[in-house]
């Protein structure tokens, strides 16, 4: 079971409350799709400058594996407060711990809470990826 | 009776390099949601950098060809005597569903089938390095992975993907003839000296129809796609984008 303390998007990002702010990352499923378990296949990650304003669904960065570049999409609207600078030099963090150490950006959200209907809880997300596999 | 899935088949020969990339961007965005297979060539010949590639790595080659940067990853490709293709479809399409690796294996199985019809025994590279591998050239064809397509022990197809907004565009480059920038790679003219890009495209399209059970509508790019390509062509050859890293 994936962590129940956060919400998920259909494009495989997660978002979690952190005090008044939120932190955003990508799921283990997304990492697996990109690198098939070979953490060395993750090559680059471009993250936004702090201060940038993001809309829901907006592309805020990209991640490159040996064979694909994938967009990172904002689960909620807000302003970038901080990025995880250790990711670019240590992409293997995304494979080892996508839920905690592998966070990507911290946002000051435009609205409080994670109640938007397009966000899924862990059970709904797992049902979605189970359907994707078949 | 099983209805055949409708795909678009686009051929654009001799496209300007920035326009070629901008049209692929339109296909990835998918205003027309049908799967699409596009074949194209370049005029003039161009050198395309991978999305994340560092400009300094390729700067010594500036002046050898028109420069563009792709939105897909990987190394640089010299688009001279080759057939280039793009396959755009929803990420949940059976061709792309699941891991990136699996989608490569499906695309490369189709290409290997097509190449077999030309007498070329192409296969996934597997564990052993390719004889065309070189260090530090910055060229896509000089780096191989186990899921790259090789023949005669050398890499023959350059591949890269972009995944965005629930869609995937798979870029591919198949060498017809040799390029001085890509010494030692596999070419098709070694096996089929008179092979033209259009003939190879037709061979691949027939395999797609047979293996995927699709039916191609041979079309021109749509008006909105052409407008997108016209508007965005300059960006793909701009210093801002080509030298972005």
């Amino acid at each position: 079971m994936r962590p129940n303390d956060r919400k998920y998007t259909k494009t495989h990002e997660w978002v979690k409350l952190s005090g008044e702010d939120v932190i955003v990352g990508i799921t283990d499923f997304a990492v697996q799709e990109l690198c098939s378990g070979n953490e060395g296949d993750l090559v680059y990650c471009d993250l936004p400058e702090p201060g940038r304003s993001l809309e829901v669904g907006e592309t805020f960065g990209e991640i490159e594996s040996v064979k694909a570049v994938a967009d990172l999409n904002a689960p909620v609207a807000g302003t970038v407060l901080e990025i995880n600078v250790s990711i670019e030099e240590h992409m293997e963090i995304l494979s080892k711990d996508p839920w905690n150490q592998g966070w990507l950006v911290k946002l000051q959200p435009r609205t409080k809470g994670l109640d938007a209907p397009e966000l899924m809880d862990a059970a709904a997300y797992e049902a979605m990826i189970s359907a994707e596999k078949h | 009776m099983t209805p055949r899935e409708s795909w678009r088949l686009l051929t654009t020969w001799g496209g300007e390099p920035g326009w070629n990339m901008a049209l692929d961007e339109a296909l990835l965005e998918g205003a027309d949601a049908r799967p699409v297979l596009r074949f194209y060539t370049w005029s003039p010949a161009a050198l395309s950098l991978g999305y994340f590639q560092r400009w300094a790595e390729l700067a010594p080659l500036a002046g050898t060809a028109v420069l563009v940067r792709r939105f897909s990853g990987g190394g640089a490709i010299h688009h001279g005597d080759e057939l280039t293709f793009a396959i755009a479809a929803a990420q949940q399409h059976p061709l792309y569903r699941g891991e990136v690796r699996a989608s490569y294996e499906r695309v490369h199985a189709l290409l290997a089938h097509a190449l077999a019809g030309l007498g070329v025994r192409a296969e996934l590279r597997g564990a052993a390095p390719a004889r065309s591998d070189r260090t530090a050239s910055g060229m896509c064809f000089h780096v191989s992975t186990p899921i790259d397509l090789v023949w005669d022990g050398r890499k023959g197809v350059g591949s890269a993907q972009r995944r965005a907004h629930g869609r995937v565009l798979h870029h591919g480059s198949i060498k017809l003839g040799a390029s001085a920038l890509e010494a030692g790679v596999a070419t098709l003219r070694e096996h089929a000296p008179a092979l033209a890009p259009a003939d190879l495209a037709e061979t691949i399209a027939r395999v797609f129809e047979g293996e995927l059970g699709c039916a191609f509508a041979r079309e021109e790019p749509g008006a909105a796609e052409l407008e997108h390509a016209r508007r965005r062509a300059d960006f793909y050859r701009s210093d801002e984008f080509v030298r972005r890293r």
Side-chain angles (χ1 to χ4, degrees):
Chain A
M1 184 75 179
R2 290 172 172 84
N4 221 356
D5 59 353
R6 62 197 75 195
K7 293 289 186 73
Y8 299 84
T9 69
K10 65 180 182 182
T11 49
H12 309 293
E13 291 87 10
W14 56 258
V15 56
K16 178 183 175 184
L17 291 171
S18 174
E20 298 285 300
D21 306 320
V22 300
I23 53 176
V24 175
I26 60 173
T27 69
D28 60 333
F29 183 85
V31 172
Q32 177 69 19
E33 280 208 323
L34 282 170
C35 74
S36 301
N38 301 313
E39 65 184 30
D41 280 5
L42 297 173
V43 186
Y44 292 113
C45 187
D46 255 1
L47 295 175
E49 293 291 325
R52 182 174 153 191
S53 179
L54 299 173
E55 301 299 325
V56 176
E58 185 175 343
T59 299
F60 68 80
E62 294 107 359
I63 184 167
E64 181 178 33
S65 70
V66 168
K67 283 299 181 188
V69 178
D71 283 7
L72 302 167
N73 305 307
V76 297
T79 302
V80 178
L81 295 173
E82 189 180 346
I83 62 172
N84 187 349
V85 292
S86 60
I87 289 288
E88 191 164 315
E89 296 301 319
H90 298 283
M91 294 287 288
E92 70 278 6
I93 295 172
L94 288 172
S95 297
K96 292 187 191 323
D97 184 10
W99 309 118
N100 297 296
Q101 289 186 65
W103 68 277
L104 297 173
V105 296
K106 177 182 275 191
L107 303 177
Q108 180 180 52
R110 201 168 297 158
T111 55
K112 287 188 176 178
L114 299 176
D115 303 321
E118 64 270 23
L119 295 175
M120 293 172 273
D121 62 18
Y125 178 70
E126 294 197 348
M128 184 194 80
I129 60 176
S130 176
E132 280 190 11
K133 287 177 181 170
H134 300 103
Chain B
M1 192 175 99
T2 305
R4 297 171 80 81
E5 183 184 31
S6 176
W7 283 53
R8 286 195 297 158
L9 180 62
L10 309 179
T11 51
T12 60
W13 304 126
E16 187 281 322
W19 183 88
N20 272 342
M21 293 294 88
L23 182 58
D24 280 347
E25 182 181 70
L27 301 183
L28 176 61
E29 292 188 0
D32 185 328
R34 287 176 292 169
V36 56
L37 172 61
R38 176 194 174 206
F39 293 108
Y40 55 107
T41 56
W42 306 64
S43 183
L47 184 67
S48 74
L49 281 69
Y51 185 76
F52 277 99
Q53 209 164 11
R54 294 203 177 275
W55 161 247
E57 192 179 6
L58 275 301
L61 298 181
T64 58
V66 171
L67 295 172
V68 292
R69 190 184 283 271
R70 301 187 308 274
F71 54 74
S72 57
I77 292 181
H78 185 216
H79 303 284
D81 189 7
E82 70 167 36
L83 175 69
T84 316
F85 64 89
I87 313 165
Q91 195 165 337
Q92 287 311 308
H93 188 278
L95 189 63
Y96 288 143
R97 185 180 297 158
E99 296 180 3
V100 170
R101 167 184 292 269
S103 69
Y104 267 74
E105 290 171 352
R106 293 182 203 115
V107 171
H108 284 170
L110 293 166
L111 296 179
H113 186 155
L115 293 172
L118 301 170
V120 176
R121 190 178 165 198
E123 56 194 359
L124 296 183
R125 191 205 73 175
R131 287 196 287 121
S132 48
D133 289 354
R134 305 279 189 279
T135 53
S137 82
M139 304 301 291
C140 167
F141 276 83
H142 286 157
V143 177
S144 64
T145 72
I147 52 173
D148 276 315
L149 209 52
V150 301
W151 58 91
D152 304 331
R154 293 172 283 157
K155 183 168 174 176
V157 178
S159 307
Q161 286 185 3
R162 179 70 183 233
R163 295 177 165 235
H165 302 294
R167 284 178 65 82
V168 178
L169 185 136
H170 182 108
H171 265 151
S173 160
I174 307 174
K175 293 296 165 195
L176 297 176
S179 156
L181 300 182
E182 294 158 328
V185 311
T187 69
L188 288 179
R189 289 206 203 287
E190 296 169 54
H191 295 268
L195 186 65
D199 298 332
L200 177 57
E202 192 59 38
T203 300
I204 295 170
R206 279 199 301 271
V207 168
F208 269 60
E209 283 194 315
E211 295 295 309
L212 296 179
C214 62
F216 281 119
R218 293 165 192 264
E219 298 181 2
E220 300 292 321
E225 290 166 340
L226 290 172
E227 169 56 21
H228 183 106
R230 185 196 62 75
R231 184 166 43 81
R232 291 279 290 166
D234 284 350
F235 173 74
Y236 280 98
R237 55 176 179 258
S238 67
D239 280 353
E240 171 198 0
F241 190 53
V242 170
R243 305 185 187 205
R244 69 181 280 269
R245 286 176 63 92

